[in-house]
Amino acid sequence: MKKILLIIIVCFAVFTFSSCINESKNVTRQTFALDTVINITTNKEDSERINEAFTLLREYENVFSRTKPESKLSLLNNGQGELTEDIEKVLSFSLEMSRFTDGAFDVTVAPLVDLWNVKERNTAPTAEEIEIARSKTGYEDVTLSPFSLGGKTIDTGAVAKGYIADKVAESFKDKGVESAVIDLGGNVVLIGEYKVGIRNPFSPDEIFATITVKDKSAVTSGAYQRYFEYEGKRYHHIIDPRTGYPSESGVASATVISPSSMQADALSTSIFILGKDSISLCDNFPDTEALIIMENGEVITTENFEEKYELKK
Ligand code: AMP
Ligand code: MG
């Protein structure tokens, strides 16, 4: 079987890609969807599949986007529309994650995400504003049967890209694609074997280490992805619902490798919020490993990470 080795950078919103072998046989196309930069690479003969994937992404955007008022999720949050199969799957898994993490991962975090609005804000909200938003969160009030949001607002930003990446990979495999890199803003799924570069969170244009990954997803959550700075402090996009502030667990970035991109996505966000000891969360998921880079430079991995993925610094 053809073995293709590629180097990619697992990151958010930026993507660097260079193939070592067979470069002339590959094609990469880029688009902007799901509020991020999307890059998909396949063999040239499968290039039509990329266009199909882009169409699929637009369809999912109309399901999960919170910035589109007519999306299925927006309608649901506004008390209209019904629970679609996709939303139910993502919501059900998210509620499980919320219970696993004792609410550090909270799919009802929307009021805090909107308040912090790190894309547009350049000053921190007041403690009172934070408390008001925090009081509107709480995954415990959401039930699936019977379905009720319990007055809460759902944000699937920490998990939907993983779910969608899995769906794109599934459709590729169904159509016989044997090698592809599906990169939804750093939420990466690999069909085939690749060298993956983990971004240095302190110098995001550089690679911290490389790993070799086959037929799995690699997802990184980091404080360098979306943030603003105010009075010398960085306020990033991952909120700790227990405090109402951007999390301060000492983690600079958390990378999770798993057969399921949805699980890797939710886990990387959860570990980023909960800190290094929560790396043991990976034990609850099959064949799932993690690498954490702490703000003090310390690197922590699950037991089998280095050996399994040929970690090279
Ligand atoms: P990620 O980049 O996958 O780590 O996810 C970050 C996104 O998840 C944010 O932009 C929010 O939309 C959402 N989010 C932020 N904090 C939380 C949280 N505590 N639990 C669940 N989702 C969150
Ligand atoms: Mg995530």
Side-chain angles (χ1 to χ4, degrees):
M1 205 176 88
K2 253 184 312 187
K3 192 175 176 194
I4 301 169
L5 278 178
L6 301 167
I7 296 181
I8 65 169
I9 294 186
V10 179
C11 63
F12 194 93
V14 190
F15 179 77
T16 310
F17 187 95
S18 76
S19 73
C20 307
I21 305 169
N22 278 340
E23 189 163 58
S24 62
K25 292 192 175 168
N26 295 325
V27 56
T28 301
R29 289 195 188 140
Q30 188 176 83
T31 190
F32 191 86
L34 310 167
D35 202 24
T36 195
V37 179
I38 311 283
N39 282 280
I40 300 183
T41 301
T42 62
N43 284 330
K44 270 188 182 143
E45 63 261 32
D46 292 321
S47 65
E48 192 42 36
R49 303 283 91 85
I50 302 181
N51 295 336
E52 290 166 9
F54 286 174
T55 305
L56 195 60
L57 293 180
R58 309 262 167 246
E59 285 168 21
Y60 278 118
E61 203 166 49
N62 289 327
V63 176
F64 290 107
S65 169
R66 275 216 308 128
T67 51
K68 285 191 165 190
E70 74 285 5
S71 78
K72 302 273 186 217
L73 186 63
S74 294
L75 292 176
L76 209 60
N77 278 334
N78 288 327
Q80 301 157 328
E82 80 239 33
L83 187 64
T84 68
E85 197 185 321
D86 292 310
I87 296 178
E88 184 173 14
K89 281 191 179 142
V90 168
L91 194 51
S92 160
F93 176 67
S94 297
L95 291 173
E96 216 174 284
M97 277 311 286
S98 298
R99 288 189 281 268
F100 255 142
T101 60
D102 246 337
F105 181 99
D106 190 338
V107 72
T108 67
V109 74
L112 285 165
V113 170
D114 294 345
L115 177 66
W116 281 97
N117 188 12
V118 296
K119 252 194 196 167
E120 282 165 31
R121 228 181 214 288
N122 46 30
T123 59
T126 65
E128 197 190 349
E129 287 172 320
I130 291 168
E131 224 18 72
I132 291 170
R134 213 173 74 81
S135 71
K136 294 178 185 160
T137 67
Y139 71 93
E140 300 93 334
D141 293 336
V142 179
T143 56
L144 284 174
S145 49
F147 171 65
S148 166
L149 288 186
K152 301 295 183 282
T153 308
I154 300 300
D155 180 314
T156 57
V159 63
K161 278 206 288 290
Y163 176 80
I164 298 166
D166 283 333
K167 289 288 182 192
V168 173
E170 219 174 278
S171 77
F172 276 14
K173 284 187 226 157
D174 283 351
K175 286 173 181 156
V177 176
E178 286 180 357
S179 70
V181 177
I182 299 151
D183 176 13
L184 312 186
N187 219 114
V188 180
V189 178
L190 309 155
I191 302 177
E193 183 172 290
Y194 300 87
K195 260 207 163 99
V196 176
I198 297 171
R199 196 171 275 270
N200 179 347
F202 310 112
S203 180
D205 291 337
E206 288 167 23
I207 290 176
F208 168 79
T210 62
I211 49 179
T212 303
V213 185
K214 187 179 177 190
D215 294 330
K216 290 209 174 62
S217 174
V219 182
T220 299
S221 287
Y224 57 89
Q225 294 167 333
R226 291 178 187 208
Y227 65 89
F228 68 88
E229 272 168 12
Y230 174 60
E231 293 183 339
K233 204 169 148 66
R234 180 177 290 196
Y235 296 95
H236 58 78
H237 71 307
I238 303 175
I239 314 293
D240 186 337
R242 301 165 303 180
T243 63
Y245 285 79
S247 66
E248 293 191 67
S249 64
V251 175
S253 76
T255 298
V256 176
I257 320 268
S258 161
S260 155
S261 195
M262 176 170 75
Q263 290 176 5
D265 195 0
L267 275 170
S268 63
T269 308
S270 301
I271 292 171
F272 185 85
I273 297 167
L274 283 165
K276 60 181 176 182
D277 292 341
S278 68
I279 199 163
S280 58
L281 277 173
C282 293
D283 300 343
N284 298 297
F285 298 88
D287 197 7
T288 298
E289 308 289 340
L291 178 143
I292 302 175
I293 304 170
M294 299 298 289
E295 272 158 12
N296 65 7
E298 194 187 350
V299 177
I300 299 134
T301 64
T302 44
E303 210 180 313
N304 300 319
F305 188 98
E306 287 203 31
E307 209 188 319
K308 231 178 189 175
Y309 297 114
E310 298 168 24
L311 180 70
K312 289 200 179 76
K313 283 194 215 149

